[in-house]
Amino acid sequence: MNELKRFYQIYSIITSLGMLLVLLMGAVVTKTGSGDGCGNSWPLCYGEILPTAPKLETIIEVSHRFVSAWLGLLVIILAIWAWRRDPHRKEIKILAGSAVFFIILQGLLGAAAVVWSQSSAVLASHFGFSLVSFASVLLIAILSFEDPDRPFIAKVSPGFKKNIYWLFAYLYAVVYTGALVRHTGSSMGCGPEFPLCNGTIFATIGSQASIHLLHRIAAIVLFIWIVYSWYHARKYYSDQKVVTKGFQFALLFVILQGVSGALIVYSNLNLFVALGHGLIISFLFGTLSYLALIVYRK
């Protein structure tokens, strides 16, 4: 029984890491403009499973499809396993359903983007859906190490609980604005400047500069909000190490997120810096997901 539990834990961790890989590969597809690497052909690529003499963008797109398909299968298996293993835990059922629903949804959205042209706003949601599926799988992995008969419950005030919920929801909105920056080609909308935008703090509404500036402002508000939440948790809930440590990690990740965002501009859209930016926001989203979970419990 212990061996089976250990295997379940290892499998859930591997699936979580795989979801991170899918997120990063999706970012590579966007950053390298490889979304049209197979033309408008899906699930085949130019009518073939493995196209002959493929270009670099075709290799990137096919690799992303292949890994995403395998991870989709792994997520479905994990969800069924988690559901059958803990049939009485409501949160597991919600997380399992969420993991499967959103990975299928993001896959269908990706396919629709290939076959039919999609707006930048719709394409931006592709990353957001993948992130929700990743967070769901990550939480299943974390809960696999928890005693189901003695779950950790964070005891915070109703006001601070709502603060965490709203912070989590706001983070998702910030993620969407960041994805919108990528899919509208607005990463350099403010030029090679930071924190100013083309020498000013204003931009014409609807322009690439305004989209980029919106994301910057949203990110600054997020940073201030997390600093406040970290301070509040440290002051009033120092006896609850999971809560204080959670916000310490959240603060670290939001600082690194801001630094990496600035470096994207200064490095003129360096691919590895951009991937680091996406990786950090995934860690931040996972951290706040767990905090939202433990305060939700009763």
Side-chain angles (χ1 to χ4, degrees):
M1 192 67 175
N2 288 334
E3 290 184 2
L4 183 61
K5 178 181 179 181
R6 178 62 62 182
F7 183 64
Y8 172 75
Q9 292 170 338
I10 294 173
Y11 182 84
S12 62
I13 291 173
I14 292 174
T15 307
S16 299
L17 294 175
M19 285 300 301
L20 265 182
L21 178 61
V22 168
L23 288 170
L24 293 179
M25 292 184 74
V28 171
V29 169
T30 302
K31 289 292 182 181
T32 58
S34 303
D36 295 326
C38 290
N40 62 350
S41 175
W42 192 92
L44 299 177
C45 187
Y46 294 118
E48 301 176 281
I49 297 177
L50 294 174
T52 54
K55 298 179 180 179
L56 178 60
E57 57 267 26
T58 302
I59 294 174
I60 293 173
E61 172 65 10
V62 170
S63 299
H64 178 55
R65 291 186 186 184
F66 180 79
V67 174
S68 297
W70 271 105
L71 256 297
L73 180 60
L74 292 182
V75 169
I76 291 173
I77 292 173
L78 176 63
I80 296 173
W81 194 351
W83 192 297
R84 291 177 62 87
R85 183 174 180 270
D86 296 301
H88 303 299
R89 299 179 73 179
K90 179 181 178 181
E91 57 199 17
I92 289 293
K93 293 182 179 180
I94 294 174
L95 292 172
S98 173
V100 173
F101 175 78
F102 282 103
I103 199 170
I104 291 176
L105 183 60
Q106 66 90 17
L108 293 175
L109 192 61
V114 170
V115 180
W116 305 289
S117 296
Q118 300 289 326
S119 68
S120 298
V122 173
L123 290 174
S125 62
H126 182 75
F127 179 77
F129 294 152
S130 299
L131 198 56
V132 173
S133 185
F134 160 71
S136 300
V137 171
L138 177 64
L139 291 181
I140 290 176
I142 293 174
L143 295 183
S144 71
F145 291 87
E146 186 179 73
D147 183 351
D149 296 322
R150 299 177 60 187
F152 177 79
I153 301 175
K155 298 178 181 179
V156 299
S157 68
F160 193 59
K161 181 183 292 189
K162 290 180 181 178
N163 173 78
I164 293 176
Y165 292 159
W166 282 109
L167 176 58
F168 178 64
Y170 181 74
L171 171 61
Y172 191 74
V174 175
V175 167
Y176 185 84
T177 64
L180 196 60
V181 167
R182 290 199 303 272
H183 286 286
T184 57
S186 303
S187 296
M188 294 299 291
C190 289
E193 298 180 16
F194 186 89
L196 295 178
C197 183
N198 296 322
T200 182
I201 58 173
F202 301 101
T204 304
I205 296 177
S207 65
Q208 289 187 334
S210 68
I211 295 173
H212 192 107
L213 194 58
L214 172 65
H215 178 58
R216 286 190 184 182
I217 294 172
I220 291 171
V221 172
L222 176 67
F223 170 75
I224 295 172
W225 198 340
I226 289 180
V227 169
Y228 159 75
S229 299
W230 164 78
Y231 175 78
H232 187 89
R234 185 168 176 266
K235 183 176 181 180
Y236 296 103
Y237 304 108
S238 59
D239 60 321
Q240 300 191 53
K241 298 301 181 183
V242 176
V243 176
T244 55
K245 288 291 184 182
F247 274 109
Q248 284 178 11
F249 278 112
L251 181 59
L252 172 63
F253 291 143
V254 80
I255 291 173
L256 292 176
Q257 186 71 1
V259 172
S260 62
L263 287 177
I264 289 176
V265 174
Y266 289 136
S267 66
N268 194 25
L269 307 182
N270 180 275
L271 177 61
F272 294 102
V273 175
L275 290 180
H277 193 66
L279 188 64
I280 294 167
I281 197 64
S282 301
F283 291 155
L284 177 57
F285 192 81
T287 300
L288 288 185
S289 296
Y290 182 65
L291 286 170
L293 172 67
I294 61 176
V295 299
Y296 167 76
R297 288 170 164 172
K298 298 179 181 179

